[in-house]
Amino acid sequence: MRLSIKHFMIINLLTILVILYAIFADYYQEQKSHTAEVILGSLKDDMSEISYLLSKQIVDKKMVRTTRSLLDRAVSNNDFIKAIMILDDQKVLLTTDPRYRKVPDKKNVFLDPDLSAENILLDHVGFEGTIRFYKGKDLQKLTLVFLFDHQEAAAFLNQNSLKFLLYFGLLPGLIILVMWLLMIRYIIKPLERLRQYAYYQSETPSVFNLKELEYIRSSMAQTFSRLDSEQKELFNLARTDSLSGLANRHALNENLKCLIADAARKNYEFAYLFLDLDNFKAVNDALGHNVGDELLQQVAGVISEVLRTNDFVARVGGDEFVIVLHDYESLSEISNILERIQSRLNVPWIIQGHPIKITSSIGIALYPKDAQDMIGLMKSSDIAMYEAKKRGRNQHYFYTEELNVTVQKNIALDKAMRQALEDHEYHLYYQPKVNLLNGDIIGLEALIRWFSPTKGMIMPDQFIPLAEENGFILELGKWVLQEAFRQQKIWQQQGMDLHVSVNVATKQLLDNQFESLLEHLVKETGVDPNKIHLEITEYLFMDQNDKNLNLMKRLRSKGFSISLDDFGTGYSSLSYLKTFPISELKIDKAFVRDYNTPDGAVFLETIVKMGQTLKLQVIAEGVETEAQARYLKKIGCECYQGYLCSKPLPVKELDTFYLKHKSCMLED
């Protein structure tokens, strides 16, 4: 088993520490045993002395009690003796402590030579001696017993343990710790940095303090610098097309391998495009390969200029190029990029004095829809490219017919709706908002309509989603706001003092220029912001951050009211109703339709009560029958909007309808 330097150092230091602790522990135990022997020896000496004195004083067993003072002095002068007893066989003749009147067991006072002095002092009750005296000519014997004070003995034996632990236990540990920290700082860390530098070739380590390590570091830095320069040169040669300067097939495969792995893990889509120049062989045959090569170089430059910095392009054959696009918002964006490439290529070229006309055909395959690996993407895009050539060249084609039709349809719609704005084909219709209590019209919602000269009226659900996807909603939304503001001002001057609600897309609302746009339009049209309701959807609150909250507060401070459209169909949450400055809730028509079902009724009542509690005006959308209106009025809903009053009307018809409705209300 191979050890790292760090582990090797740890093992060595721990081994030294264990050996030191073992030596110190043995020394400590030896000192403790020696102390115990000294104590026990002292007690034995005291035993001998007292035995001698008693044998001189006692001539009869009855005189034993007269020696009490002598024994008391001996106990008081020796901290390790708890009591002294004089025994006559199994009878206690005298004890210095009345608590000890029982003759101790023989084995607990017998000095076993096999036991250590420490064990005797701490585990035995005491030890015994003999008092010899003569009564006449007869030798008499009594037993003298010293009872140990175990607590005092243990305290004395352990009194130096703290000092020992400090000097002989903690000190070696601190020394080892300091040695370890020094090794880490000056040996282990520098070696680890050298290892990482050798393995990863990352940032060059700074100068080391140890001379030998510094020699190694300096040598490695010089070697890696030379190798890095050579490696970069070899890398570029191996992955760069020598003619065009673009990436080659090898670099393409590497890029695709990483991109597929990342896309599979993060679940996103990317496009693989195969571009082939139309009739390029004729250029080579007619003008020579030198002209063809220069043309390819210029084509490569044009493609690189059109693509974004995060896109990838490679030349994989004579006149074949592969482009990889990712991080796009829609397929229409892909088509726009390809159209720019094809339009840039479809111009007269002058190569070495020769005029050349060149076009290109492009096939598009999408990961993972069309293929999940490199080979599959190459095949799918190649098939799509040949289909583009079959259809007349100088165009691009998506791999699947269905997708291609959809994309081409969206491309056509995108162009048409942008042109429609220039041709004034958009109009605003207005639908009244009605007070359920008295029937008064209290406001109007502006709704966009597109009147195409060829297709007639195009409803918003057919073009608004695409406009939000491709960003056209910013330009279109600006026109809607401008037109609605202008019309509200006209109505106000005519005596129709009604607020106008305008739908604002989330992308439009979060645009950095939105606030300044509103300020400009207010100044331009003279409209009162208090008469404008900005209708937003719940999707804005998917990210309830400070930026969105501050935006809403600023709009509210300028006088605009915030109306929450289609409440209940998106990110419904009480938290944003409480936090954000919303003044109006609009119940989606889908819930109004279900008013006569138990679940639908509960939902409507809950929204209305919640709006009342939060002091929000509640408007029900899509009201079409008197029964719906009666129910809404019953549960306390204030206003409604729907065909029961009127469908969305153009300005002239709305003017007529409003006057007629007002006169009817006056008659009633």
Side-chain angles (χ1 to χ4, degrees):
M1 180 179 66
R2 294 182 178 178
L3 297 176
S4 66
I5 292 178
K6 182 177 181 180
H7 290 158
F8 178 74
M9 291 292 186
I10 290 174
I11 292 173
N12 283 338
L13 291 176
L14 288 178
T15 302
I16 294 172
L17 190 62
V18 169
I19 292 173
L20 288 175
Y21 279 153
I23 293 172
F24 292 142
D26 181 68
Y27 174 76
Y28 173 70
Q29 189 61 41
E30 183 179 345
Q31 290 296 316
K32 195 173 180 183
S33 299
H34 178 71
T35 303
E37 290 174 358
V38 172
I39 294 172
L40 188 59
S42 175
L43 290 174
K44 288 179 180 179
D45 292 341
D46 290 348
M47 172 71 77
S48 299
E49 182 180 355
I50 293 173
S51 297
Y52 175 75
L53 294 174
L54 290 176
S55 65
K56 292 296 184 180
Q57 294 182 19
I58 298 174
V59 296
D60 189 281
K61 292 181 180 178
K62 294 179 180 181
M63 297 179 63
V64 168
R65 293 187 177 277
T66 64
T67 64
R68 174 67 180 265
S69 60
L70 175 63
L71 299 182
D72 285 339
R73 284 197 303 272
V75 171
S76 63
N77 291 331
N78 198 316
D79 294 333
F80 305 110
I81 300 175
K82 184 170 287 188
I84 298 177
M85 301 174 69
I86 298 178
L87 309 178
D88 183 11
D89 196 13
Q90 295 299 312
K91 182 180 178 181
V92 178
L93 298 180
L94 179 65
T95 177
T96 60
D97 191 335
R99 292 175 296 177
Y100 300 98
R101 293 183 175 277
K102 185 179 179 181
V103 177
D105 193 347
K106 192 71 175 177
K107 65 180 180 180
N108 288 329
V109 293
F110 172 69
L111 288 178
D112 188 346
D114 295 330
L115 294 177
S116 66
E118 183 180 356
N119 288 336
I120 292 173
L121 286 174
L122 299 179
D123 297 335
H124 275 45
V125 172
F127 72 101
E128 64 180 12
T130 304
I131 304 172
R132 296 179 177 86
F133 64 94
Y134 285 91
K135 186 177 182 182
K137 294 182 178 181
D138 296 329
L139 179 64
Q140 301 289 319
K141 292 182 180 181
L142 295 176
T143 303
L144 180 65
V145 178
F146 281 9
L147 298 180
F148 297 145
D149 189 337
H150 293 122
Q151 186 175 358
E152 188 67 28
F156 188 82
L157 291 175
N158 294 321
Q159 66 178 349
N160 293 322
S161 60
L162 181 60
K163 186 180 294 184
F164 173 83
L165 180 62
L166 179 63
Y167 291 111
F168 298 105
L170 184 59
L171 189 59
L174 290 176
I175 293 173
I176 294 296
L177 178 60
V178 171
M179 291 175 61
W180 172 242
L181 293 176
L182 290 174
M183 288 181 181
I184 288 178
R185 180 178 178 86
Y186 293 105
I187 297 178
I188 294 176
K189 281 190 175 180
L191 287 174
E192 174 61 19
R193 289 164 62 189
L194 285 176
R195 185 194 67 81
Q196 293 183 0
Y197 181 46
Y199 189 80
Y200 299 108
Q201 296 186 29
S202 54
E203 183 179 353
T204 304
S206 56
V207 177
F208 295 145
N209 293 310
L210 296 182
K211 187 182 296 183
E212 290 78 4
L213 292 179
E214 173 56 23
Y215 289 158
I216 297 173
R217 185 204 67 84
S218 178
S219 177
M220 289 175 64
Q222 294 176 14
T223 301
F224 287 150
S225 177
R226 185 176 66 255
L227 290 175
D228 185 57
S229 176
E230 295 174 354
Q231 184 180 15
K232 286 180 179 179
E233 185 177 353
L234 290 173
F235 183 89
N236 291 332
L237 289 174
R239 291 162 178 78
T240 304
D241 176 55
S242 58
L243 176 64
S244 64
L246 299 176
N248 60 15
R249 188 181 294 272
H250 181 65
L252 171 65
N253 292 340
E254 286 185 345
N255 181 271
L256 271 181
K257 184 178 180 180
C258 296
L259 188 59
I260 289 174
D262 188 60
R265 185 173 63 257
K266 297 180 181 178
N267 192 28
Y268 65 82
E269 177 185 274
F270 67 85
Y272 184 97
L273 318 175
F274 190 86
L275 183 150
D276 184 81
L277 299 180
D278 298 326
N279 300 316
F280 179 75
K281 186 175 182 299
V283 175
N284 274 340
D285 293 342
L287 303 176
H289 288 279
N290 58 328
V291 174
D293 289 346
E294 186 174 338
L295 176 61
L296 289 174
Q297 291 173 347
Q298 297 196 27
V299 167
V302 167
I303 296 174
S304 298
E305 288 177 10
V306 173
L307 294 180
R308 304 164 302 180
T309 55
N310 59 334
D311 296 328
F312 182 86
V313 58
R315 177 173 174 254
V316 295
D319 61 338
E320 297 172 343
F321 298 83
V322 168
I323 302 169
V324 180
L325 303 178
H326 60 93
D327 193 24
Y328 48 84
E329 294 185 0
S330 66
L331 298 181
S332 298
E333 185 177 350
I334 296 177
S335 293
N336 291 336
I337 294 173
L338 299 186
E339 286 182 356
R340 289 201 301 271
I341 292 175
Q342 290 181 313
S343 63
R344 288 284 302 276
L345 296 180
N346 188 19
V347 295
W349 296 79
I350 304 297
I351 307 295
Q352 297 182 13
H354 301 285
I356 300 174
K357 180 73 171 179
I358 195 76
T359 59
S360 62
S361 298
I362 306 175
I364 306 111
L366 301 179
Y367 173 92
K369 183 180 183 298
D370 298 330
Q372 289 80 44
D373 55 34
M374 290 184 284
I375 296 177
L377 289 169
M378 293 176 187
K379 289 182 178 179
S380 299
S381 61
D382 189 56
I383 292 172
M385 185 273 295
Y386 278 105
E387 185 64 28
K389 286 185 178 291
K390 289 180 182 178
R391 293 173 178 253
R393 304 178 188 274
N394 194 29
Q395 58 182 285
H396 57 271
Y397 190 84
F398 285 83
Y399 175 64
T400 59
E401 179 67 26
E402 179 184 358
L403 180 60
N404 190 67
V405 169
T406 301
V407 171
Q408 298 303 330
K409 181 179 178 181
N410 285 341
I411 293 172
L413 180 60
D414 177 73
K415 292 180 178 178
M417 67 182 180
R418 293 177 189 272
Q419 186 63 41
L421 185 60
E422 297 181 9
D423 295 343
H424 308 290
E425 296 176 6
Y426 294 108
H427 300 273
L428 288 187
Y429 276 39
Y430 297 87
Q431 188 173 37
K433 297 179 181 180
V434 183
N435 188 310
L436 275 165
L437 299 179
N438 53 29
D440 287 344
I441 295 176
I442 60 171
L444 303 165
E445 180 180 1
L447 301 167
I448 191 170
R449 297 292 185 266
W450 176 10
F451 288 91
S452 169
T454 56
K455 299 180 180 180
M457 180 185 286
I458 301 176
M459 298 302 289
D461 59 356
Q462 297 181 40
F463 63 91
I464 290 297
L466 179 61
E468 291 181 343
E469 181 181 300
N470 60 23
F472 179 62
I473 194 66
L474 298 178
E475 190 175 353
L476 186 60
K478 177 182 177 181
W479 177 87
V480 171
L481 287 168
Q482 185 177 31
E483 187 66 18
F485 285 16
R486 183 187 63 80
Q487 187 59 50
Q488 198 284 331
K489 184 63 177 178
I490 293 173
W491 279 328
Q492 186 180 35
Q493 293 171 346
Q494 294 175 351
M496 290 174 57
D497 193 17
L498 303 173
H499 74 258
V500 173
S501 297
V502 183
N503 290 282
V504 180
T506 301
K507 183 178 291 188
Q508 181 184 3
L509 190 70
L510 298 180
D511 181 65
N512 293 331
Q513 304 301 319
F514 183 70
E515 284 185 79
S516 59
L517 171 64
L518 288 180
E519 292 175 356
H520 171 73
L521 293 179
V522 168
K523 190 176 296 184
E524 180 183 68
T525 61
V527 72
D528 181 3
N530 291 287
K531 297 300 180 180
I532 301 297
H533 288 195
L534 301 177
E535 293 197 7
I536 62 176
T537 62
E538 293 175 300
Y539 295 103
L540 173 70
F541 305 108
M542 289 293 287
D543 185 11
Q544 296 187 42
N545 55 38
D546 292 339
K547 180 181 178 182
N548 294 353
L549 175 60
N550 293 333
L551 172 64
M552 295 291 100
K553 288 182 177 179
R554 289 196 301 272
L555 293 178
R556 192 71 187 89
S557 67
K558 296 178 189 298
F560 297 99
S561 295
I562 307 298
S563 177
L564 188 57
D565 197 14
D566 300 334
F567 181 75
T569 61
Y571 183 69
S572 300
S573 171
L574 288 175
S575 63
Y576 65 72
L577 291 180
K578 176 183 176 183
T579 306
F580 285 75
I582 299 169
S583 55
E584 182 179 84
L585 291 182
K586 299 189 73 174
I587 305 175
D588 187 75
K589 59 185 178 182
F591 302 113
V592 175
R593 283 199 299 267
D594 294 338
Y595 81 99
N596 56 355
T597 65
D599 291 341
V602 169
F603 192 85
L604 286 172
E605 291 178 23
T606 301
I607 295 178
V608 172
K609 289 179 181 178
M610 180 175 61
Q612 292 171 345
T613 302
L614 297 174
K615 295 181 174 54
L616 303 177
Q617 187 177 51
V618 180
I619 298 179
E621 294 183 294
V623 178
E624 299 178 352
T625 66
E626 289 288 350
Q628 291 173 337
R630 284 195 300 270
Y631 175 76
L632 291 169
K633 184 177 181 181
K634 175 183 174 183
I635 64 175
C637 183
E638 302 172 1
C639 307
Y640 80 90
Q641 179 181 339
Y643 276 44
L644 177 62
C645 174
S646 171
K647 65 181 180 178
L649 299 172
V651 173
K652 291 183 179 180
E653 293 182 25
L654 191 282
D655 290 343
T656 304
F657 175 83
Y658 177 77
L659 294 174
K660 182 178 178 181
H661 181 85
K662 189 173 183 180
S663 63
C664 290
M665 294 299 298
L666 292 174
E667 291 176 2
D668 292 341

